[in-house]
Amino acid sequence: MKDISKSINKVDNEEKISGKAKYVADYTMDGMLYAMTKRSSIAKGEIVNIEYPDLPKGYFIVNHKDVQGKNIIKMIFEDWPVFTEKNISYLYEPIMLVIGPEKSVLVDIIEHIKITYKEEKPIFAWTDSVIDYHFDKGHGNRIFDDADEIIEHTYETGYQEQAYIEPQGFIGYPEGDKTTLVGSIQCPYYVKNAVIQALGEKDENVRVIQANVGGAFGGKEEYPSLIGCQLAVAVKKIKKPIKLIFEREEDMLVTTKRHPSKTVFKAAIKNNQIIGLKAHVSIDAGATIGLSGVVLSRALLAVSGAYTIDHLDVSGDVYRTNTVPNGAFRGFGAPQMFFAVDMFIEHIAKSLNFDPLEFRENLLVKQGDRTSTNGLFREPVLMPNMIKKVIDESDYKNKIKQYSQKGNFKGIGMSLFFHGCGFTGSGEKNIIKAKVRLKKTKDGKVHILVAAVDMGQGIKTTFRKLIAHMLELDIEEVVFNNPDTDFVPDSGPTVASRTMMIVGGLLARAAKEMKSRWKEVTFTVEKEYEQPDYIKYDELHFIGDAYPAYSWGVNIVEVEVDPVTYQVYIKKSWSVYDVGKAIDEKIVLGQADGGLAQGLAYGYLEVMNHKDGKIMQKNMTDYIIPTAMDMGEMETYLFDNPYAYGPYGAKGVGELPLIGGPAAVAKAIESAINKNIYKIPVTPEYIMELMNND
Amino acid sequence: MVESHIAKTLEDALKTLNSGKFRIVAGGTDMLIQNRSHTGMPIGYKDNVVYINLINELDYIKEDEDNVYIGATTRLETILKSENAPKILKNIIHEMAGPGIRHTATLAGNIANASPAGDSLVGLYVLDASIKCQSVDNTRIVKIKDFIQGVRKIDLKSNEMITEVMIPKYDFSRFVFKKVAPRLSDAISKLSFVGAIRIEDNEVKDLRMALGAVYMTVLRKEDIESKYIGQSIGELKNNIELIIEDYNSFIKPIDDQRSNKEYRKQVALNLIKDFIMKS
Amino acid sequence: MTEIKFKLNGKEQTLNTDPNRRLLDVLREDFKLTGSKEGCGEGECGACSVLLNKQIVNSCSVPLANVDGQDIVTIEGFSKTKEYQVIKDSFATAGGVQCGFCTPGMIIATQSLLNTKPRPNDYEIKIGLSGNLCRCTGYNLIIKSVKLAAKDGDGLW
């Protein structure tokens, strides 16, 4: 049988290249209306009064009074109203939809809605802690009593915007008693369940269909539930098709971003070795808590990075501020922490006068080591060989020596990292309870029925390939359409690097059974998630195995810094990843390139900040993502390390390649300018500051 | 509702401009951004517009012994590919915009837009370019530094349009264009710099420097430049601290969403220094 | 209302409409040519790229007035050509497509590049793609796709 990793032509290449693939903005329907959003013009306060202009015939206002169910979005922590009723907690908070056939009229109506507020002083400082976590490993803080030296540094990370090229949007329409939404979404059932709650409707009266998704990266995980609910309320009231598509500026001003963070690290040093770490992580939730607690968890769990440290004292806070809500973004807290910890370990090595590479290699996680929460790294850890491979390919050792000489402004940096695959803790078992179905039809075709979304990561191809491979069918005999909740079971959201490992794993189990019953003409196999026995996690106390498996990575990046303008040029990067087993090599390499580009750019390029709660970089001109000119050549190697519960051994892929980017590029810049770096993005402005301190 | 007129001849355009208040649209890229409305809605011009993009008679690059002449509807891409256009200008165009914009936008449009961060303006200041403004009854030629009066303020009467950009020919021993932008293409400059020098027999015969996005308009100080003309190249380099001192008080950048004033100022001075010391 | 005539994907078209409309809206709404996408609406991302007189332009930044008498080819029209077949195959083979939203624009940018530089080097490829943003691929495999197209289609441009 062929090696499953061998690449095939992606099944959606043809429709995407030819421009035939339909995205949500491409749909129109007879009698369709448009929706636009009236938003708050203050960051904090109360609505005192709203004056409406006379609405022309055929135009509507939809607000909190129209919400027949709960005026709150269903998600992990429920504190987002569908429409704000009274209290404003961030600038541009949605207050109502204005709906009608002509956009120019909508713009006019929105301009003439006069809202009076009672303004309050907004809070932007990190003072209002809404979640705080703490856990110890080993002796916790007590280890510091044994220290003969303590090293302390603080690391900061900024906002990052997902900057999917396709902005958010839905089209909604009534089908009899049913309210149907078609949208650019990662999680059809998140939207469906949120709409059920907002409409107070029966399950069968809400239908959610995924349109082709033009990039998501976490940005279309929970945010679409908000606008999906708003639109569903409108459709149910007006009983006509309505389209709600964000334009770029609106998208960038109001949708969720990566949480800015600050990590205060202390290391207890004895006999020139790290004996323990203490860390406190602060993240900015923005105006609502939403997923922030889980983001903080993932950051805290990665506290010791790819290294084993026996004694840890770990704590963190989620702070609420009167700014745009932050949420899911590829990596989900891990990129913030891996930047901080990988820099910290390097800085410790430097200040103890050790070779940072040797120092780090000695601390590396080995199979059988304890995780930060006293779980076990059960699977083989290939990091030593992976590091060797990437060092050889990049000539790292020679270069780091050569570049350390003052005045050549070249630099090279290396990051070591992992990603816990799938949901944190017992989320899969307790919350998601994924279900998948395979259906064999009379014509001998096999239909994949899952709610997983192809947002570019290639799941349409890899799922069909997986099933075709297992059932020894031609890929054309396997059918997988964009999920429609009327036809597919809830296999969970397309997030957390879980899709191939968890959903694909369930599909593989279903395919195995289907194969054994193949002579039956038509039948359906359903499988439900069963947690591997070894996973026992105490979420309250942070004890046990937080993840079923880990993917691993090493990035090396080479840069040049212009000493006149302090600009950074990425020359080349080398990466090695262990994702268990690639279901399609080229697709994994595509994920690797794209993830690294986002990670590098997060580390040196992408600046976003707010002024009095207003995002300053509100378009693609001012928010800088890389162009083809900015990314150097990327070389990537994959190491096989099959995981028993993943299909053909596959583990998580999607988030991993972003995580090491920031530390790798920051270290490369450190090596070019011979200064320690404590925050990202490492902008030319920051480099100038550092270089001025000579 | 605003009136719009598509002119296909210069005469038609000038007559239209003479008949009322019109904004001029050439390639339209900047005008679009300044007058954006919403997807599916017409561009939200606040005044009447006259489109001049299709006036073929203004799509040219000509030269004589002393000057290069670029017509008002000539695309940036045409200039980039032209044999005649000054090399400094071509270098700038190469970096200032992606292919899609280069095929659409015009140099005259760039000038009329009068953005302090406009890269092409920095080159035109150094090249001592002049602007030809025409109305139905008058033609006048204005130096670029006089034409640009402030942020988005230009010396153009309501019945006039730019019809041509005139660029005197020079031979420089060395010139440098540096666009300092947040990324390597497709971005608005944090600041930009053009330096040009002519050295003969070890003597500075001509020296010009201009900076974009460090002041309300492009910054070029001919009085400072002239102080150093006639010096030997060695003297020039020895005077670097004086030169920096000379420019220091004139560089007055701002903080914005793209960068801060400290960075802009220090890098501006670094670029001057780097240019002089490498000459 | 103004009468605007132009050639669209090889066919003469006449519209009586507001010349201040954006070419992108006219293509998507009046002609249902939805292969050109709106990603940013200000000429930055290139998802709306079309060929105007064989050269790439951002259709979101082109007022319809400027199209009068010109020749427009969208991805739908371009997909009928031999050059398209080569570019399509190379993007598929090299893995240049992920979410697909930037892809039609990238294809147009590739055609516009190869049309002027049939054998581009890496730097020229990057310049040719520099007005088209992609958030999925990091450009690595797109650049390889363009290289492959130039190689496989050698002689075609």
Side-chain angles (χ1 to χ4, degrees), chain A residues 160-168 214-215 217 220 247-253 255 257 598 605-608 615-627 630, chain B residues 33 36 182-183 185-188 257-258, chain C residues 38-47 60 99 101-102 130-136 139:
Chain A
Q160 188 180 22
E161 159 64 37
Q162 292 87 357
Y164 30 69
I165 309 295
E166 178 208 28
Q168 306 253 3
F217 318 113
K220 295 170 185 173
E247 289 174 38
R248 179 58 56 183
E249 188 167 312
E250 183 172 30
D251 193 297
M252 294 192 82
L253 286 171
T255 65
K257 308 181 190 317
Q598 285 179 3
L605 202 63
E606 295 184 16
V607 177
M608 182 172 265
I615 294 293
M616 297 307 290
Q617 296 77 11
K618 59 187 168 57
N619 51 43
M620 296 298 240
T621 310
D622 289 338
Y623 185 71
I624 296 293
I625 65 169
T627 67
D630 296 282
Chain B
I33 290 168
R36 258 183 61 83
R183 68 183 165 209
S185 60
D186 210 13
I188 294 173
Q257 71 275 26
R258 286 186 276 274
Chain C
E38 176 161 347
C40 73
E42 54 181 8
E44 196 73 26
C45 78
C60 79
C99 83
F101 201 75
C102 78
S130 67
N132 292 72
L133 296 176
C134 167
R135 189 57 157 169
C136 294
Y139 305 100

Side-chain angles (χ1 to χ4, degrees), chain B residues 148-159:
Chain B
I148 310 252
Q149 299 175 322
V151 179
R152 304 199 185 286
K153 271 169 82 179
I154 52 174
D155 172 23
L156 192 74
K157 297 189 184 72
S158 72
N159 67 341

